[in-house]
Amino acid sequence: MLFEEALKALREGKNVKRECWVEEDGYLKLLRGMKHVWKIIIKPAPNAGNHIFSADELDANDWQVWEDDQPYVAENSANLEDKAA
């Protein structure tokens, strides 16, 4: 899919990634109430930060919706902290 379609999917709450990305490259998510797209890394250790799109990414046509089978994102961290306590 084109970047414009990936952006629409992000706004709908879906996760997206590039087909060429390996699992360690993570995926992108637009978190509720945030204005920036976040890149979520789950391997080797969970991490997240703002993603800055490159010109190549904006022109790419290999974007895809990615189903998160290992949900660890900032919006779920409160639930994980409650379980640890």
Side-chain angles (χ1 to χ4, degrees):
M1 82 174 60
L2 296 172
F3 175 76
E4 291 83 7
E5 296 167 294
L7 183 57
K8 182 179 182 220
L10 284 168
R11 287 181 173 150
E12 292 171 352
K14 298 175 184 171
N15 304 326
V16 299
K17 67 180 232 49
R18 299 268 317 271
E19 186 177 316
C20 64
W21 289 356
V22 295
E23 189 173 11
E24 289 78 12
D25 289 330
Y27 62 94
L28 303 180
K29 182 158 192 79
L30 183 60
L31 298 173
R32 201 171 340 144
M34 303 293 254
K35 294 184 179 190
H36 300 283
V37 173
W38 286 77
K39 186 164 192 179
I40 311 295
I41 306 292
I42 51 178
K43 288 188 177 180
N47 194 359
N50 289 347
H51 183 68
I52 300 171
F53 292 95
S54 69
D56 288 340
E57 289 176 327
L58 298 175
D59 289 335
N61 65 359
D62 69 340
W63 289 99
Q64 59 188 10
V65 171
W66 185 69
E67 298 299 327
D68 186 2
D69 60 352
Q70 299 177 359
Y72 182 89
V73 295
E75 64 191 15
N76 291 334
S77 64
N79 294 337
L80 294 174
E81 290 171 5
D82 290 343
K83 290 178 183 178

